[in-house]
Amino acid sequence: MAEFESVDPVDGDSPSILTKAFDILRAFSADDRVMTLSELARAAGLPKSTVHRIIARLIDLGAIEQHRRGYKIGLGLFEMGVITPAGSMRDKAMPFLAALHRWTGLTVHLAVLRQFDVVYLEKFASANSPVTVSRVGARLPANCTAIGKAMLAWENFEDLEAFLPTPLPRLTPASVATIDELLVELRKIRAEKSAHESNESQAGVACMAVPVIVQDAAVAAVSVAYDSATRLDFKVEGALRQTTARIAAACRMGLANGHSHWFPRDY
């Protein structure tokens, strides 16, 4: 236990044991859910002996589990992940997302904003929509997605202008290229309270998104994805707005149940 109680040394170039533990945990991915000791050492950039020692402690803590001849992320981390405020919001949103998915027949997403990325909390995939790069737990640049821009539009524009990365990350040639272009688009989204993108996050995919507004802040957003070569039924926007309004109302009920300290940014 003592090794996890160490603090970062004075020498800022030497990572702490905790930092190394997270390097190991972040070596896992959707494509590498089970990894050997050698694979983890290579991915984390650490000696095998260090990885072996830290993994032993992570297994004791439930953060990693053994899987045949390799290792996988432990359910202990899953248990902690689902008790976040964002997990609570996802639980509240589920019936409304499912209803939107059934009614539209399209892929439906729920996401939150973290720094300048969107993190997907839920995805209802559809055979009627193109296959998308999004997945639960994935991060994508907010400026490349309708769901991200729907939330960025509720941020302070002066802060965004000062702190957005330069150059902006781009996923396709259609992704917005400059901060000035993005701010113009965000002002329009803020006025219309909905965001659209076509081929910006992925070629062949278009999305429409509406933010979930609680206490004048975008705590999340919901989007629908469809083939960029088709036109979206105008009724979908109304259904999308109704969905986000219902999610927001369910979240506001949490305010009356002693959860006011979760809002607006802790989601």
Side-chain angles (χ1 to χ4, degrees), residues 104-107 125-130 225-227 230:
T104 62
L106 301 174
T107 295
S126 172
N128 297 326
S129 297
Y226 57 99
D227 190 323
T230 64

Side-chain angles (χ1 to χ4, degrees), residues 115-116 156-166 168 179 183:
Q115 287 81 48
F116 303 115
N156 181 291
F157 291 151
E158 291 183 1
D159 288 345
L160 286 178
E161 189 171 13
F163 296 114
L164 276 168
T166 304
L168 289 174
I179 291 176
L183 290 175

Side-chain angles (χ1 to χ4, degrees), residues 13-257:
D13 293 332
S14 300
S16 69
I17 293 295
L18 185 60
T19 299
K20 293 175 182 177
F22 270 86
D23 288 340
I24 293 168
L25 291 170
R26 288 179 175 135
F28 293 96
S29 69
D31 295 323
D32 295 301
R33 296 175 188 258
V34 177
M35 301 180 72
T36 65
L37 180 65
S38 296
E39 289 169 340
L40 286 169
R42 283 195 299 270
L46 296 170
K48 284 177 67 174
S49 58
T50 299
V51 173
H52 186 269
R53 184 176 71 254
I54 294 174
I55 281 179
R57 187 64 184 130
L58 290 173
I59 289 173
D60 289 342
L61 296 170
I64 281 182
E65 297 174 0
Q66 289 182 302
H67 184 89
R68 297 181 181 175
R69 296 182 180 178
Y71 303 93
K72 61 184 178 182
I73 293 290
L75 288 180
L77 290 184
F78 176 78
E79 291 167 4
M80 287 188 284
V82 298
I83 60 173
T84 63
S88 173
M89 180 169 60
R90 173 189 169 277
D91 291 343
K92 292 179 173 64
M94 285 293 283
F96 308 119
L97 298 174
L100 180 65
H101 172 67
R102 287 194 301 269
W103 188 81
T104 62
L106 301 174
T107 295
V108 173
H109 300 99
L110 173 71
V112 292
L113 191 65
R114 287 297 180 268
Q115 287 81 48
F116 303 115
D117 291 337
V118 294
V119 179
Y120 290 90
L121 300 183
E122 189 53 72
K123 176 180 180 178
F124 284 80
S126 172
N128 297 326
S129 297
V131 176
T132 62
V133 295
S134 59
R135 58 175 175 77
V136 175
R139 281 179 177 255
L140 291 178
N143 61 287
C144 299
T145 66
I147 204 166
K149 287 186 278 191
M151 292 181 281
L152 284 177
W154 288 81
E155 297 291 311
N156 181 291
F157 291 151
E158 291 183 1
D159 288 345
L160 286 178
E161 189 171 13
F163 296 114
L164 276 168
T166 304
L168 289 174
R170 303 180 73 189
L171 296 178
T172 73
S175 300
V176 69
T178 69
I179 291 176
D180 288 341
E181 289 178 66
L182 178 62
L183 290 175
V184 168
E185 187 174 352
L186 293 180
R187 288 187 174 93
K188 180 180 178 183
I189 292 169
R190 180 71 178 261
E192 296 179 353
K193 298 182 175 59
S194 64
H196 304 260
E197 66 95 348
S198 181
N199 301 302
E200 292 182 52
S201 60
Q202 182 180 345
V205 175
C207 286
M208 178 181 181
V210 173
V212 177
I213 305 299
V214 179
Q215 292 189 339
D216 202 36
V219 299
V222 177
S223 73
V224 293
Y226 57 99
D227 190 323
S228 61
T230 64
R231 179 172 294 183
L232 191 64
D233 188 326
F234 74 95
K235 294 179 182 178
V236 172
E237 181 172 356
L240 189 52
R241 291 183 185 278
Q242 187 177 62
T243 298
T244 56
R246 288 173 172 171
I247 295 171
C251 290
R252 281 192 291 270
M253 287 183 63
L255 295 174
N257 293 328

